[in-house]
Amino acid sequence: MPQLSVWYFRTAILFLIAGICVGLYMSITHQFEATGAHAHINLLGWVTMAIFGIYYALNPVQAASRIAKIQYMLYTIGILVMAPALFLMLTGNPALEPVVAVSSLVTFAGVLLFAVILFTRKG
Ligand code: HEM
């Protein structure tokens, strides 16, 4: 398996652990304000990252490209900042909204770069 896929799966499992921790926290405390953070950590962090990892495992030539590594960095940094900022914003820190806004745009840039990779592949 390409190294990039390994990194995608390693990062994804850490996000799943974090997402489940937020879910358990909400279940135990009966406070559900963080539902949006929980859903995004699990779906952007675990599900989507695992799909990226599978794609690169099936396309090892692309996994070795510089643009694929940049795509991983962009997407991962976006969610790494967005996840805790969204959690804190939803649990009573509205001042973090600009951080959530910028990091979500970085995450989106990572998604757009993945679209470029998909549409420019040869073969
Ligand atoms: C042990 C694991 C998990 C626990 C304890 C957990 C717990 C929770 C809780 C307490 C809520 C809030 C429910 C409410 O607001 O009434 C929730 C919502 C949600 N969870 Fe999880 N969850 C877990 C795993 C996952 C996973 C793996 C995913 C996705 C891959 C996921 C996706 C969602 C989504 C999308 C919502 C929002 C549903 C809605 O608002 O209608 N959860 N979860």
Side-chain angles (χ1 to χ4, degrees):
M1 185 156 69
Q3 197 58 31
L4 189 61
S5 294
V6 173
W7 276 109
Y8 256 125
F9 277 104
R10 283 180 179 163
T11 316
I13 191 63
L14 295 178
F15 276 116
L16 180 59
I17 292 167
I20 288 179
C21 285
V22 175
L24 291 172
Y25 158 80
M26 292 191 297
S27 308
I28 292 164
T29 60
H30 290 241
Q31 289 174 351
F32 300 106
E33 300 94 340
T35 299
H38 164 75
H40 283 83
I41 294 168
N42 280 329
L43 295 171
L44 288 175
W46 164 241
V47 179
T48 307
M49 279 205 159
I51 292 170
F52 288 157
I54 292 167
Y55 176 81
Y56 288 121
L58 294 171
N59 295 275
V61 174
Q62 278 192 306
S65 69
R66 212 164 80 92
I67 190 171
K69 291 184 184 80
I70 293 170
Q71 190 267 331
Y72 168 83
M73 295 298 291
L74 207 56
Y75 187 77
T76 303
I77 289 169
I79 304 182
L80 264 179
V81 176
M82 185 186 140
L86 183 60
F87 176 84
L88 292 171
M89 186 188 87
L90 294 175
T91 52
N93 299 277
L96 282 169
E97 189 174 341
V99 181
V100 175
V102 172
S103 55
S104 59
L105 289 176
V106 173
T107 304
F108 186 41
V111 170
L112 291 178
L113 197 53
F114 189 70
V116 170
I117 290 168
L118 287 186
F119 281 99
T120 56
R121 76 186 293 269
K122 295 173 185 70

Short mmCIF file of all heavy atoms in Angstrom, two decimals, residues 16 19-28 31-36 38-40 42-43 46-47, ligand 1:
data_model
loop_
_atom_site.label_atom_id
_atom_site.label_comp_id
_atom_site.label_asym_id
_atom_site.label_seq_id
_atom_site.Cartn_x
_atom_site.Cartn_y
_atom_site.Cartn_z
N LEU A 16 -11.54 9.18 14.07
CA LEU A 16 -12.67 8.35 14.53
C LEU A 16 -12.64 8.23 16.06
O LEU A 16 -13.69 8.35 16.72
CB LEU A 16 -12.63 6.96 13.89
CG LEU A 16 -13.76 6.01 14.31
CD1 LEU A 16 -15.13 6.60 13.99
CD2 LEU A 16 -13.61 4.64 13.65
N GLY A 19 -13.82 11.52 17.32
CA GLY A 19 -15.26 11.69 17.07
C GLY A 19 -16.10 10.86 18.03
O GLY A 19 -17.12 11.33 18.55
N ILE A 20 -15.67 9.64 18.30
CA ILE A 20 -16.40 8.78 19.25
C ILE A 20 -16.31 9.35 20.66
O ILE A 20 -17.28 9.32 21.42
CB ILE A 20 -15.88 7.33 19.17
CG1 ILE A 20 -16.34 6.69 17.85
CG2 ILE A 20 -16.37 6.51 20.35
CD1 ILE A 20 -15.86 5.27 17.63
N CYS A 21 -15.12 9.91 21.00
CA CYS A 21 -14.99 10.52 22.34
C CYS A 21 -16.00 11.65 22.51
O CYS A 21 -16.63 11.78 23.56
CB CYS A 21 -13.56 11.04 22.55
SG CYS A 21 -12.39 9.74 22.86
N VAL A 22 -16.17 12.47 21.46
CA VAL A 22 -17.15 13.56 21.54
C VAL A 22 -18.57 12.96 21.68
O VAL A 22 -19.39 13.44 22.47
CB VAL A 22 -17.06 14.50 20.31
CG1 VAL A 22 -18.17 15.54 20.35
CG2 VAL A 22 -15.70 15.18 20.26
N GLY A 23 -18.85 11.88 20.93
CA GLY A 23 -20.16 11.22 21.02
C GLY A 23 -20.42 10.68 22.42
O GLY A 23 -21.51 10.83 22.97
N LEU A 24 -19.38 10.05 23.00
CA LEU A 24 -19.54 9.51 24.35
C LEU A 24 -19.71 10.64 25.37
O LEU A 24 -20.53 10.53 26.29
CB LEU A 24 -18.32 8.65 24.71
CG LEU A 24 -18.20 7.33 23.92
CD1 LEU A 24 -16.86 6.66 24.21
CD2 LEU A 24 -19.35 6.39 24.26
N TYR A 25 -18.94 11.71 25.15
CA TYR A 25 -19.06 12.88 26.04
C TYR A 25 -20.50 13.41 26.04
O TYR A 25 -21.08 13.68 27.09
CB TYR A 25 -18.06 13.96 25.61
CG TYR A 25 -18.40 15.36 26.06
CD1 TYR A 25 -18.10 15.78 27.36
CD2 TYR A 25 -19.01 16.26 25.20
CE1 TYR A 25 -18.43 17.07 27.79
CE2 TYR A 25 -19.34 17.54 25.60
CZ TYR A 25 -19.05 17.93 26.89
OH TYR A 25 -19.39 19.19 27.30
N MET A 26 -21.09 13.52 24.83
CA MET A 26 -22.47 14.03 24.74
C MET A 26 -23.44 13.05 25.41
O MET A 26 -24.37 13.47 26.11
CB MET A 26 -22.87 14.22 23.27
CG MET A 26 -22.13 15.34 22.59
SD MET A 26 -22.86 15.75 20.98
CE MET A 26 -22.64 14.24 20.05
N SER A 27 -23.22 11.74 25.19
CA SER A 27 -24.13 10.74 25.76
C SER A 27 -24.07 10.76 27.28
O SER A 27 -25.10 10.66 27.96
CB SER A 27 -23.72 9.34 25.27
OG SER A 27 -23.62 9.32 23.88
N ILE A 28 -22.86 10.89 27.83
CA ILE A 28 -22.68 10.83 29.29
C ILE A 28 -23.22 12.09 29.97
O ILE A 28 -23.88 12.02 31.00
CB ILE A 28 -21.19 10.60 29.64
CG1 ILE A 28 -20.76 9.20 29.19
CG2 ILE A 28 -20.92 10.79 31.14
CD1 ILE A 28 -19.26 9.00 29.10
N GLN A 31 -25.56 16.55 27.07
CA GLN A 31 -25.47 17.88 26.47
C GLN A 31 -25.10 17.67 25.00
O GLN A 31 -24.04 17.13 24.71
CB GLN A 31 -24.41 18.72 27.18
CG GLN A 31 -24.87 19.12 28.57
CD GLN A 31 -23.79 19.83 29.37
OE1 GLN A 31 -22.65 19.87 28.96
NE2 GLN A 31 -24.17 20.36 30.51
N PHE A 32 -26.00 18.10 24.12
CA PHE A 32 -25.85 17.72 22.72
C PHE A 32 -25.46 18.88 21.80
O PHE A 32 -25.59 18.79 20.59
CB PHE A 32 -27.15 17.06 22.23
CG PHE A 32 -27.50 15.83 23.02
CD1 PHE A 32 -28.54 15.85 23.95
CD2 PHE A 32 -26.77 14.66 22.85
CE1 PHE A 32 -28.85 14.71 24.69
CE2 PHE A 32 -27.07 13.52 23.59
CZ PHE A 32 -28.11 13.55 24.51
N GLU A 33 -24.94 19.97 22.39
CA GLU A 33 -24.56 21.14 21.56
C GLU A 33 -23.46 20.77 20.56
O GLU A 33 -23.36 21.38 19.49
CB GLU A 33 -24.03 22.29 22.43
CG GLU A 33 -25.00 22.83 23.44
CD GLU A 33 -24.83 22.15 24.79
OE1 GLU A 33 -24.25 21.04 24.84
OE2 GLU A 33 -25.29 22.73 25.79
N ALA A 34 -22.65 19.80 20.90
CA ALA A 34 -21.48 19.48 20.06
C ALA A 34 -21.81 18.47 18.95
O ALA A 34 -20.90 17.98 18.28
CB ALA A 34 -20.35 18.94 20.93
N THR A 35 -23.11 18.20 18.73
CA THR A 35 -23.48 17.20 17.71
C THR A 35 -22.86 17.52 16.34
O THR A 35 -22.35 16.63 15.66
CB THR A 35 -25.02 17.14 17.56
OG1 THR A 35 -25.57 16.73 18.81
CG2 THR A 35 -25.43 16.13 16.50
N GLY A 36 -22.86 18.82 15.96
CA GLY A 36 -22.30 19.20 14.66
C GLY A 36 -20.81 18.89 14.58
O GLY A 36 -20.33 18.44 13.53
N HIS A 38 -19.20 16.55 16.36
CA HIS A 38 -19.12 15.09 16.34
C HIS A 38 -19.36 14.54 14.92
O HIS A 38 -18.57 13.73 14.42
CB HIS A 38 -20.16 14.54 17.33
CG HIS A 38 -20.49 13.10 17.18
ND1 HIS A 38 -19.65 12.10 17.60
CD2 HIS A 38 -21.57 12.48 16.65
CE1 HIS A 38 -20.21 10.92 17.35
NE2 HIS A 38 -21.37 11.12 16.77
N ALA A 39 -20.41 15.04 14.28
CA ALA A 39 -20.75 14.55 12.94
C ALA A 39 -19.65 14.89 11.94
O ALA A 39 -19.27 14.05 11.12
CB ALA A 39 -22.09 15.15 12.49
N HIS A 40 -19.10 16.13 12.02
CA HIS A 40 -18.07 16.52 11.06
C HIS A 40 -16.75 15.80 11.31
O HIS A 40 -16.05 15.45 10.36
CB HIS A 40 -17.87 18.04 11.09
CG HIS A 40 -18.95 18.77 10.37
ND1 HIS A 40 -20.17 19.07 10.94
CD2 HIS A 40 -19.02 19.21 9.09
CE1 HIS A 40 -20.93 19.67 10.06
NE2 HIS A 40 -20.27 19.78 8.92
N ASN A 42 -16.42 12.81 12.47
CA ASN A 42 -16.58 11.43 11.98
C ASN A 42 -16.68 11.36 10.46
O ASN A 42 -16.09 10.47 9.84
CB ASN A 42 -17.83 10.80 12.60
CG ASN A 42 -17.58 10.32 14.01
OD1 ASN A 42 -16.49 9.91 14.35
ND2 ASN A 42 -18.60 10.38 14.84
N LEU A 43 -17.41 12.30 9.86
CA LEU A 43 -17.66 12.18 8.42
C LEU A 43 -16.53 12.77 7.57
O LEU A 43 -16.12 12.16 6.59
CB LEU A 43 -19.01 12.80 8.07
CG LEU A 43 -20.19 12.04 8.71
CD1 LEU A 43 -21.50 12.79 8.51
CD2 LEU A 43 -20.31 10.63 8.14
N TRP A 46 -13.07 10.74 9.52
CA TRP A 46 -12.96 9.27 9.41
C TRP A 46 -13.40 8.79 8.03
O TRP A 46 -12.62 8.27 7.25
CB TRP A 46 -13.74 8.60 10.53
CG TRP A 46 -14.02 7.13 10.34
CD1 TRP A 46 -15.24 6.54 10.26
CD2 TRP A 46 -13.07 6.06 10.23
NE1 TRP A 46 -15.11 5.18 10.07
CE2 TRP A 46 -13.79 4.86 10.07
CE3 TRP A 46 -11.68 6.00 10.22
CZ2 TRP A 46 -13.18 3.62 9.90
CZ3 TRP A 46 -11.05 4.76 10.07
CH2 TRP A 46 -11.80 3.59 9.91
N VAL A 47 -14.66 9.02 7.68
CA VAL A 47 -15.22 8.43 6.45
C VAL A 47 -14.51 8.96 5.19
O VAL A 47 -14.02 8.19 4.36
CB VAL A 47 -16.75 8.66 6.36
CG1 VAL A 47 -17.31 8.06 5.09
CG2 VAL A 47 -17.45 8.09 7.58
C1 HEM B 1 -19.55 5.01 19.83
C2 HEM B 1 -19.68 5.83 18.81
C3 HEM B 1 -20.64 6.98 18.76
C4 HEM B 1 -21.37 7.59 19.76
C5 HEM B 1 -21.37 7.28 21.24
C6 HEM B 1 -22.19 8.62 19.12
C7 HEM B 1 -23.05 9.48 19.78
C8 HEM B 1 -23.85 10.43 19.19
C9 HEM B 1 -24.75 11.33 19.88
C10 HEM B 1 -24.97 11.35 21.39
C11 HEM B 1 -25.34 12.13 18.96
C12 HEM B 1 -26.36 13.25 19.21
C13 HEM B 1 -27.75 12.76 19.07
C14 HEM B 1 -28.76 13.89 19.27
O1 HEM B 1 -28.45 15.07 19.05
O2 HEM B 1 -29.90 13.58 19.63
C15 HEM B 1 -24.82 11.73 17.66
C16 HEM B 1 -25.19 12.31 16.44
C17 HEM B 1 -24.62 12.01 15.22
N1 HEM B 1 -23.62 11.09 14.97
FE1 HEM B 1 -22.77 9.87 16.36
N2 HEM B 1 -21.94 8.61 17.76
C18 HEM B 1 -21.00 7.64 17.50
C19 HEM B 1 -20.45 7.32 16.25
C20 HEM B 1 -20.73 7.98 15.07
C21 HEM B 1 -20.09 7.69 13.79
C22 HEM B 1 -19.00 6.62 13.58
C23 HEM B 1 -20.64 8.53 12.89
C24 HEM B 1 -20.35 8.70 11.42
C25 HEM B 1 -19.48 7.98 10.73
C26 HEM B 1 -21.62 9.36 13.57
C27 HEM B 1 -22.39 10.33 12.98
C28 HEM B 1 -23.33 11.09 13.64
C29 HEM B 1 -24.18 12.08 12.98
C30 HEM B 1 -24.19 12.44 11.49
C31 HEM B 1 -24.96 12.67 13.98
C32 HEM B 1 -26.01 13.78 13.81
C33 HEM B 1 -27.38 13.14 13.65
C34 HEM B 1 -28.47 14.21 13.62
O3 HEM B 1 -28.26 15.34 14.09
O4 HEM B 1 -29.57 13.88 13.16
N3 HEM B 1 -21.63 8.99 14.89
N4 HEM B 1 -23.92 10.71 17.82
#
